[in-house]
Amino acid sequence: MTRTVLESRTRTVTIGFDEPFCVIGERINPTGRKKLAAELEAGDFSTVEADALAQVAAGAMVLDVNAGVVYNSNPDPNQTEPPLMRSLIELVQDLVDVPLCIDSSVPGALEAGLAAAQGRPLLNSVTGEEERLERVLPLVKKYNVPVVAISNDDTGISEDPEIRFAVAKKIVERAADYGIPAHDIVVDPLVMPVGAMATAGQQVFALVRRLREELGVNTTCGASNISFGLPNRHGINTAFLPMAIGAGMTSAIMNPVALPVTQAKIAAKKAEVAAAGITLPEIDDESFVRLFGLGAMKAGPGAEMIAIRAANFLVNQDPHGAAWIAMNKGEDSGAESRGGRRGGRRRRA
């Protein structure tokens, strides 16, 4: 069975057909987060620290680390991303013990992250574009790490699943030319938004089955892409993920955390209740939030994480439902990995 082994300094996580679904936390990423981007440019890593701890506590088994912020003081990412990536990797791996996923479109940042990482991180990513293949695959070989392979090439992202499969096959074959085995390729078949393409879910499920059966590779995706532009995105995501697991997908890059309800939202709901002429007994905010189903007062596992844990149980990747029962008894210890072997410095080729 295909197994992709990731390591931190002290923990081993295996992505595989017969392993629990691997959740790769996505929140350490400044894309679309202006506050985080400004903090990173100012050398403030407090949000990164909070996001790292919250994601692991919510059940992330691997953390994606993305340094893709465009500095106002220097818009050249080739200069700014490598040192920032090194700093982020060093910070996060000293804070949590899960393996890391080094995420950048800048090859220099990928290598800076690889040089700083302990254990065996996942590299994110290579595509079928010729220049990208020639820049990234030598790094994968040099540092003996697994890599996310995204199914687009020099022609862009195709809506045709046959073309996306062909691109994935090309990447696996080119990697083999470098001596990189298929079990170290984690293919992202590219999830399209179902709001824009009605067959997007069916496409990705079929692609995952082909990638597993014909290429023997593990798979991943940006899970929230499926619900882009739609209302109640969590509802779509929590349906999509168990279906993807049932089709054979073995990991996803996603947000595992349900963020706490804001005081502004609580105040707005209280005003709405008062305007409706409803008089409530004196209750604290936590009881009020529970009463009206507003969420929770502190961060915890999101609905998607609960769906994944249930799916692991249903596909027999949670023996006797131990993780499911522990989570529902409040005994969940965070990231789960089968075996829990002690990792070490990555093995170089």
Side-chain angles (χ1 to χ4, degrees):
M1 298 294 280
T2 298
R3 291 182 173 88
T4 305
V5 177
L6 311 180
E7 295 175 345
S8 67
R9 183 174 56 245
T10 58
R11 183 187 292 262
T12 297
V13 169
T14 303
I15 303 174
F17 301 164
D18 57 350
E19 299 287 332
F21 190 75
C22 181
V23 174
I24 304 170
E26 69 178 7
R27 285 189 58 78
I28 304 175
N29 185 339
T31 304
R33 300 179 68 187
K34 292 182 179 179
K35 178 177 178 290
L36 177 57
E39 288 177 358
L40 292 177
E41 184 168 5
D44 177 358
F45 299 112
S46 55
T47 296
V48 171
E49 293 174 354
D51 282 343
L53 292 169
Q55 289 182 104
V56 172
M61 301 161 70
V62 178
L63 292 187
D64 187 86
V65 179
N66 184 304
V69 58
V70 177
Y71 287 176
N72 292 320
S73 57
N74 183 351
D76 185 356
N78 293 298
Q79 294 180 13
T80 59
E81 274 201 48
L84 177 59
M85 179 66 82
R86 176 182 287 275
S87 296
L88 289 175
I89 293 294
E90 290 173 347
L91 171 73
V92 174
Q93 70 187 359
D94 285 345
L95 195 64
V96 297
D97 68 347
V98 300
L100 303 182
C101 176
I102 302 169
D103 184 357
S104 181
S105 60
V106 176
L110 293 177
E111 183 149 29
L114 287 168
Q118 298 172 340
R120 193 171 196 250
L122 177 63
L123 201 64
N124 188 7
S125 59
V126 69
T127 68
E129 298 164 291
E130 285 299 320
E131 181 179 0
R132 190 76 178 173
L133 288 165
E134 292 171 5
R135 295 291 300 274
V136 175
L137 290 181
L139 290 178
V140 174
K141 178 63 176 177
K142 176 182 177 181
Y143 288 91
N144 185 27
V145 294
V147 64
V148 174
I150 302 179
S151 298
N152 67 281
D153 60 12
D154 294 286
T155 64
I157 299 173
S158 174
E159 294 186 356
D160 185 341
E162 291 291 333
I163 292 176
R164 301 208 301 277
F165 178 84
V167 173
K169 184 177 181 182
K170 169 187 172 180
I171 296 171
V172 170
E173 290 172 347
R174 289 287 290 275
D177 292 341
Y178 285 87
I180 300 164
H183 64 249
D184 275 341
I185 309 295
V186 181
V187 173
D188 181 346
L190 290 170
V191 175
M192 304 294 185
V194 71
M197 180 188 295
T199 59
Q202 294 169 299
Q203 276 194 10
V204 78
F205 303 148
L207 269 170
V208 165
R209 293 187 188 101
R210 284 193 71 189
L211 290 164
R212 177 170 177 157
E213 293 167 5
E214 297 182 35
L215 300 185
V217 293
N218 281 306
T219 46
T220 195
C221 70
S224 64
N225 289 353
I226 192 70
S227 62
F228 182 79
L230 292 173
N232 191 8
R233 296 187 67 185
H234 292 296
I236 299 292
N237 298 344
T238 54
F240 169 74
L241 283 160
M243 294 176 75
I245 291 170
M249 187 171 283
T250 48
S251 69
I253 301 172
M254 54 176 281
N255 176 16
V257 181
L259 297 176
V261 62
T262 64
Q263 286 298 319
K265 188 172 182 179
I266 295 171
K269 188 64 178 181
K270 286 181 176 178
E272 180 186 328
V273 169
I278 300 171
T279 302
L280 295 175
E282 288 292 328
I283 56 175
D284 59 27
D285 281 352
E286 187 167 352
S287 299
F288 181 86
V289 164
R290 285 201 306 269
L291 179 63
F292 288 96
L294 297 180
M297 292 293 293
K298 60 181 181 179
E304 290 88 343
M305 284 299 304
I306 296 169
I308 287 168
R309 295 291 178 83
N312 280 337
F313 192 4
L314 291 168
V315 298
N316 198 29
Q317 298 304 337
D318 176 11
H320 310 293
W324 177 257
I325 292 167
M327 179 186 72
N328 284 284
K329 285 185 174 181
E331 300 169 357
D332 191 13
S333 60
E336 52 179 306
S337 64
R338 185 168 290 174
R341 298 182 297 276
R342 182 168 295 274
R345 191 67 191 172
R346 80 182 140 266
R347 302 172 295 277
R348 296 181 188 265

